[in-house]
Amino acid sequence: MKRRNFLQKAALGSVGITTLGTSLRATAATSKKAKTTLRSQTSDASLPVVIATWSVAQATQKAWQSLQEGSSALDAVIAGCGVEEANAKGQSVGIGGLPDREGRVTLDACVMNEKGNYGAVLCMQNIKHPIAVAKKVMEDTPHVIMAGGGAEQFAVSQGFERENLLTEQSKKDWETWRQTSKYKPIINIENHDTIGMLAIDTNGTISGGCTTSGLAYKMAGRVGDSAIIGSGLFVDNEIGAATATGLGEEVLKTVGSFLIVELMRQGKSPQQACEQAILRIIEKTPNIQDFQVGYIAVNKKGETGAYSIHEGFTTTTYQHQKNTISNSDFYNKK
Ligand code: ASP
């Protein structure tokens, strides 16, 4: 599943959908010394709202419908992300995810709710819905993170079924990679498709979730940003929320989602905050040509923002009475 090549036209149901992608092209002009003017762009605010990384119309619509049916923002996010986790054709989250270099599909996911509670699973195998397990960790254990075999065992104890997550296609792709890769994980802008999703219900209650199979052909045991609080996801019900996709190592080193929420606390719009978090990575990393990172954010009013290092990042937004589909061409063309 390569979502970089969009624009995917999502079906417009009775609700509105806005698909926007914003990006900042990596050029010499965005080097350490370059000054980049931050643009102020936000969508019209209204509640409820669901925003997700990438063009995941079905997942976002599911979350939207769940909100209409009275689900909490958290359950809406879990239902939405679950759509992609169950999609065996998708090679980035849940079943069908591309494996690590040993051929094992290992999943990371987390959730965070309006009370500031958080739950996560890291490097979990054989369970298709890590985001639902993350909620169980948050609600039914005294812990916030469970990893590996322990996380899997916990999931099974909670009624989740073990199943083989390595599809024929992903196995085939892995075998091809093994023959040609010299055993190095792929670190480039093509391999980032984590689903991060943020939702606000009509009462203004904010929750979020993030789910991934991580970097394709990663070293066994590697964990990225997606399930780590403050990096792949952060929610502060007083302020807003942010989530990330892309090379987790760079998001982790800059604690990107927490940074975005703190910038919004200081008065930045979601768009400005996402742009600043991307600039933070650009300032600190010389080789931005080699990887992609994208952020999305929402504030308490329901304004949204999105930004990425490179062109090609998309987001899917459901917000009341909006009927536009667009690819914002928001990258630095200097
Ligand atoms: N952020 C994920 C990770 O580093 C990868 C991705 O977004 O595709 O594990």
Short mmCIF file of all heavy atoms in Angstrom, two decimals, residues 54 92 108 191-195 212-215 218 222-226 244-249 251, ligand 1:
data_model
loop_
_atom_site.label_atom_id
_atom_site.label_comp_id
_atom_site.label_asym_id
_atom_site.label_seq_id
_atom_site.Cartn_x
_atom_site.Cartn_y
_atom_site.Cartn_z
N TRP A 54 -2.88 9.87 6.14
CA TRP A 54 -3.02 9.18 4.87
C TRP A 54 -4.48 9.14 4.38
O TRP A 54 -5.37 9.61 5.07
CB TRP A 54 -2.41 7.77 4.91
CG TRP A 54 -0.98 7.81 5.33
CD1 TRP A 54 -0.46 7.34 6.50
CD2 TRP A 54 0.13 8.39 4.60
NE1 TRP A 54 0.90 7.58 6.55
CE2 TRP A 54 1.28 8.21 5.40
CE3 TRP A 54 0.25 9.03 3.37
CZ2 TRP A 54 2.54 8.66 4.99
CZ3 TRP A 54 1.50 9.47 2.95
CH2 TRP A 54 2.63 9.28 3.77
N SER A 92 0.83 -1.95 6.01
CA SER A 92 1.44 -1.03 6.97
C SER A 92 0.93 -1.15 8.39
O SER A 92 1.60 -0.75 9.33
CB SER A 92 1.24 0.40 6.49
OG SER A 92 -0.14 0.67 6.43
N ASP A 108 2.99 -2.22 16.72
CA ASP A 108 3.02 -1.24 17.81
C ASP A 108 1.74 -0.41 17.72
O ASP A 108 1.33 -0.02 16.62
CB ASP A 108 4.18 -0.24 17.65
CG ASP A 108 5.54 -0.89 17.50
OD1 ASP A 108 5.75 -1.97 18.08
OD2 ASP A 108 6.41 -0.30 16.82
N ASN A 191 8.16 4.12 2.74
CA ASN A 191 7.72 3.04 3.62
C ASN A 191 7.10 3.48 4.93
O ASN A 191 7.34 2.89 5.97
CB ASN A 191 8.89 2.10 3.89
CG ASN A 191 9.05 1.16 2.71
OD1 ASN A 191 8.34 0.18 2.57
ND2 ASN A 191 9.97 1.52 1.84
N HIS A 192 6.31 4.52 4.87
CA HIS A 192 5.70 4.99 6.11
C HIS A 192 4.21 5.16 5.92
O HIS A 192 3.77 6.03 5.21
CB HIS A 192 6.33 6.31 6.54
CG HIS A 192 7.81 6.21 6.60
ND1 HIS A 192 8.43 5.49 7.57
CD2 HIS A 192 8.76 6.68 5.80
CE1 HIS A 192 9.73 5.55 7.37
NE2 HIS A 192 9.96 6.27 6.29
N ASP A 193 3.46 4.36 6.56
CA ASP A 193 2.02 4.40 6.37
C ASP A 193 1.25 4.18 7.65
O ASP A 193 0.12 3.71 7.62
CB ASP A 193 1.60 3.33 5.35
CG ASP A 193 1.90 3.78 3.93
OD1 ASP A 193 2.09 4.97 3.71
OD2 ASP A 193 1.95 2.90 3.06
N THR A 194 1.86 4.51 8.76
CA THR A 194 1.17 4.39 10.04
C THR A 194 -0.16 5.12 10.03
O THR A 194 -0.25 6.21 9.47
CB THR A 194 2.07 5.03 11.13
OG1 THR A 194 3.22 4.23 11.25
CG2 THR A 194 1.36 5.14 12.46
N ILE A 195 -1.16 4.54 10.66
CA ILE A 195 -2.43 5.25 10.83
C ILE A 195 -2.46 5.91 12.20
O ILE A 195 -2.50 5.24 13.23
CB ILE A 195 -3.65 4.32 10.70
CG1 ILE A 195 -3.59 3.50 9.41
CG2 ILE A 195 -4.94 5.14 10.75
CD1 ILE A 195 -3.50 4.28 8.14
N THR A 212 0.59 0.68 13.87
CA THR A 212 1.56 0.48 12.80
C THR A 212 2.19 -0.91 12.86
O THR A 212 2.22 -1.54 13.93
CB THR A 212 2.69 1.53 12.91
OG1 THR A 212 3.48 1.51 11.72
CG2 THR A 212 3.61 1.27 14.10
N SER A 213 2.71 -1.34 11.72
CA SER A 213 3.61 -2.50 11.72
C SER A 213 5.06 -2.01 11.73
O SER A 213 5.98 -2.80 11.64
CB SER A 213 3.35 -3.39 10.51
OG SER A 213 3.45 -2.64 9.31
N GLY A 214 5.23 -0.71 11.80
CA GLY A 214 6.58 -0.15 11.93
C GLY A 214 7.33 -0.13 10.62
O GLY A 214 6.78 -0.34 9.54
N LEU A 215 8.57 0.16 10.75
CA LEU A 215 9.43 0.26 9.58
C LEU A 215 9.57 -1.11 8.92
O LEU A 215 9.90 -2.09 9.58
CB LEU A 215 10.79 0.75 10.07
CG LEU A 215 11.80 1.27 9.08
CD1 LEU A 215 11.25 2.47 8.32
CD2 LEU A 215 13.06 1.64 9.83
N LYS A 218 12.57 -3.90 9.50
CA LYS A 218 13.35 -3.39 10.64
C LYS A 218 14.12 -4.52 11.31
O LYS A 218 13.81 -5.70 11.13
CB LYS A 218 12.38 -2.76 11.64
CG LYS A 218 11.35 -3.76 12.16
CD LYS A 218 10.12 -3.08 12.77
CE LYS A 218 9.04 -4.12 13.10
NZ LYS A 218 7.78 -3.51 13.56
N ARG A 222 13.04 -3.92 17.03
CA ARG A 222 12.99 -2.45 16.86
C ARG A 222 11.56 -1.94 17.15
O ARG A 222 10.58 -2.52 16.73
CB ARG A 222 13.40 -2.09 15.44
CG ARG A 222 13.36 -0.59 15.12
CD ARG A 222 12.07 -0.17 14.47
NE ARG A 222 12.08 1.22 14.02
CZ ARG A 222 11.02 1.89 13.63
NH1 ARG A 222 9.85 1.31 13.61
NH2 ARG A 222 11.12 3.13 13.23
N VAL A 223 11.49 -0.82 17.85
CA VAL A 223 10.22 -0.16 18.10
C VAL A 223 10.36 1.28 17.64
O VAL A 223 11.39 1.93 17.89
CB VAL A 223 9.86 -0.21 19.60
CG1 VAL A 223 8.68 0.69 19.92
CG2 VAL A 223 9.57 -1.65 20.03
N GLY A 224 9.36 1.78 16.97
CA GLY A 224 9.39 3.17 16.49
C GLY A 224 8.64 4.11 17.43
O GLY A 224 8.46 3.83 18.61
N ASP A 225 8.19 5.19 16.86
CA ASP A 225 7.52 6.23 17.65
C ASP A 225 6.06 5.96 17.94
O ASP A 225 5.49 6.50 18.89
CB ASP A 225 7.57 7.55 16.87
CG ASP A 225 6.80 7.43 15.55
OD1 ASP A 225 7.13 6.51 14.76
OD2 ASP A 225 5.87 8.21 15.31
N SER A 226 5.45 5.15 17.07
CA SER A 226 3.98 5.15 16.99
C SER A 226 3.28 4.84 18.31
O SER A 226 2.22 5.38 18.59
CB SER A 226 3.52 4.15 15.92
OG SER A 226 4.09 4.51 14.70
N ALA A 244 1.67 11.18 14.53
CA ALA A 244 2.75 11.20 13.54
C ALA A 244 2.74 9.97 12.65
O ALA A 244 2.25 8.90 13.02
CB ALA A 244 4.09 11.25 14.27
N THR A 245 3.34 10.13 11.49
CA THR A 245 3.68 9.01 10.63
C THR A 245 5.06 9.30 10.05
O THR A 245 5.47 10.45 9.96
CB THR A 245 2.64 8.81 9.51
OG1 THR A 245 3.01 7.69 8.70
CG2 THR A 245 2.52 10.03 8.62
N GLY A 246 5.77 8.25 9.68
CA GLY A 246 7.09 8.46 9.11
C GLY A 246 8.18 7.80 9.92
O GLY A 246 7.90 6.95 10.77
N LEU A 247 9.38 8.20 9.65
CA LEU A 247 10.53 7.53 10.28
C LEU A 247 10.52 7.79 11.78
O LEU A 247 10.86 8.88 12.25
CB LEU A 247 11.83 8.00 9.64
CG LEU A 247 13.08 7.28 10.15
CD1 LEU A 247 13.04 5.78 9.85
CD2 LEU A 247 14.34 7.88 9.54
N GLY A 248 10.18 6.76 12.53
CA GLY A 248 9.96 6.90 13.96
C GLY A 248 11.16 7.39 14.72
O GLY A 248 11.03 8.12 15.72
N GLU A 249 12.34 7.03 14.28
CA GLU A 249 13.55 7.44 14.99
C GLU A 249 13.62 8.97 15.08
O GLU A 249 14.01 9.53 16.11
CB GLU A 249 14.80 6.88 14.28
CG GLU A 249 15.07 5.40 14.56
CD GLU A 249 14.12 4.42 13.88
OE1 GLU A 249 13.26 4.85 13.08
OE2 GLU A 249 14.22 3.21 14.16
N VAL A 251 11.03 11.10 14.82
CA VAL A 251 9.92 11.60 15.65
C VAL A 251 10.26 11.42 17.13
O VAL A 251 10.04 12.31 17.94
CB VAL A 251 8.61 10.86 15.29
CG1 VAL A 251 7.47 11.32 16.19
CG2 VAL A 251 8.25 11.06 13.83
N1 ASP B 1 6.26 5.67 12.39
C1 ASP B 1 6.40 4.26 12.11
C2 ASP B 1 7.60 3.73 12.81
O1 ASP B 1 8.63 4.37 12.79
C3 ASP B 1 6.54 3.91 10.69
C4 ASP B 1 5.58 4.50 9.74
O2 ASP B 1 4.99 5.55 9.96
O3 ASP B 1 5.40 3.90 8.70
O4 ASP B 1 7.53 2.64 13.31
#
